[in-house]
Amino acid sequence: MLLTGGAGFIGQHVLRELAARGHEVRAVDSLRTDVHASSAWTPPAGVTFERADVRDGTALDRMLAGAEAVLHLAAKVGLGVDVQDLPDYASSNDGGTAVLLAAMARAGVRRLTLASSMVVYGEGLGHCAEHGAITPAPRTQAALSAGRFEPPCPHCGEPLAPALVSEDTPLDPRNAYASSKVAQEFYAANWARLTGGAVAALRYHNVYGPGMPRDTPYAGVAAIFTSALKRGEAPQVFEDGRQRRDFVHVRDVAAATVTACEQHGDGVRAYNVGSGTPRTVGDMARALARALNGREPVVTGGYRLGDVRHITADSSRLRAELDWRPQVEFADGMAELARM
């Protein structure tokens, strides 16, 4: 197996899961400084590692020789809030994936497990009492400034109730990172049609757990809340704290990723990877405060333009087709995170 992004937050857990299941693993990571706090990473014993960028086709040719499958986690993360961020996301994520797929074709490797993300859905789905399932429009700065946090129905203007998103929900990327994840999925599907390869695209929801960096598009708020509590400060919760997310532990995500690699062998299939139990951002802040005996969270009413209000997964496809189940309970995961 070749694992790209093996030194990353999720990548290191996937690496451990692969090793625990007896797979021979090769890992590639660029250790770029805007993603990794340190370039002094040592892989576990028995893992062949090369420090290389996935845009380096020559390095990939070496690492892919004789490989049976690829798990592609290497990516520039973060939301990308400035137009000047676009070229790096496109080059690192879109271009890097294209180079990898071309190298896989040269090596005759026909199985790909791709780390995608829930951000491909944008605001996901909402439910209007009158108009049914609705794709919410982006929230405006005027509405957020006035404390109107729920996205409105574009037809009648009434606030939408949150709804679970399935893998068939239309894609609606609303930032540079999300756009690059959609592009990765499309490139992978193109590769599969041309080569007869198989793609499992895992749309991770809000991943948290040991090794989590401060700023990620998954659960950066957890690290921010924990840091504040350990400084004796109250966590600062944006909006009204009722933003819904699906927080899923990184060990469960790693198990889902390796299971998909082992079991999915035909065609292109997307899988949501979530706990199946929506929680609010306020729930997370309160759980961490309890675990650390810290100050109660403060709901600030502040906001970040471009944040989605609700995005929660229907992960039943992954359960039904690959027999995966999350193992880490939310309270246990929060307590573990607090001890980090």
Side-chain angles (χ1 to χ4, degrees), residues 310-327:
H310 306 294
I311 183 69
T312 50
D314 176 355
S315 299
S316 58
R317 176 184 291 180
L318 184 62
R319 289 166 169 77
E321 295 185 6
L322 302 184
D323 195 28
W324 169 87
R325 298 288 186 280
Q327 301 299 314

Side-chain angles (χ1 to χ4, degrees), residues 123-196:
E123 287 277 357
L125 280 180
H127 182 79
C128 175
E130 181 178 353
H131 297 100
I134 295 291
T135 300
R139 298 183 295 168
T140 67
Q141 187 159 359
L144 293 169
S145 296
R148 298 193 303 272
F149 300 123
E150 296 296 343
C153 173
H155 304 297
C156 65
E158 291 299 311
L160 296 172
L164 296 180
V165 294
S166 73
E167 292 86 352
D168 298 323
T169 301
L171 304 183
D172 185 20
R174 297 188 178 184
N175 55 59
Y177 177 70
S179 297
S180 72
K181 283 294 166 185
V182 170
Q184 286 183 317
E185 290 197 27
F186 284 161
Y187 277 122
N190 294 340
W191 165 84
R193 282 191 291 270
L194 290 168
T195 65

Side-chain angles (χ1 to χ4, degrees), residues 2 4 54 60 64 70 72 95-105 112 191:
L2 175 63
T4 74
V54 290
L60 293 178
L64 282 165
V70 171
H72 182 33
T97 300
V99 172
L100 173 64
L101 293 169
M104 289 175 66
L112 173 68
W191 165 84

Side-chain angles (χ1 to χ4, degrees), residues 139 147 149-150 225 235-245 247 279-286 297-303 309-310:
R139 298 183 295 168
F149 300 123
E150 296 296 343
F225 292 162
Q236 304 292 301
V237 181
F238 280 1
E239 300 185 19
D240 58 3
R242 298 193 181 104
Q243 310 93 302
R244 284 163 51 105
R245 298 290 187 270
F247 298 106
R279 311 273 181 178
T280 69
V281 174
D283 288 338
M284 171 176 267
R286 286 187 290 274
V298 174
V299 176
T300 67
Y303 62 88
R309 175 62 174 175
H310 306 294

Side-chain angles (χ1 to χ4, degrees), residues 187-238:
Y187 277 122
N190 294 340
W191 165 84
R193 282 191 291 270
L194 290 168
T195 65
V199 179
L202 301 187
R203 294 171 180 167
Y204 300 152
H205 279 248
N206 292 76
V207 186
Y208 73 94
M212 183 176 64
R214 179 183 175 85
D215 297 309
T216 77
Y218 304 110
V221 289
I224 293 169
F225 292 162
T226 302
S227 296
L229 287 161
K230 288 182 176 179
R231 293 193 302 267
E233 301 170 3
Q236 304 292 301
V237 181
F238 280 1

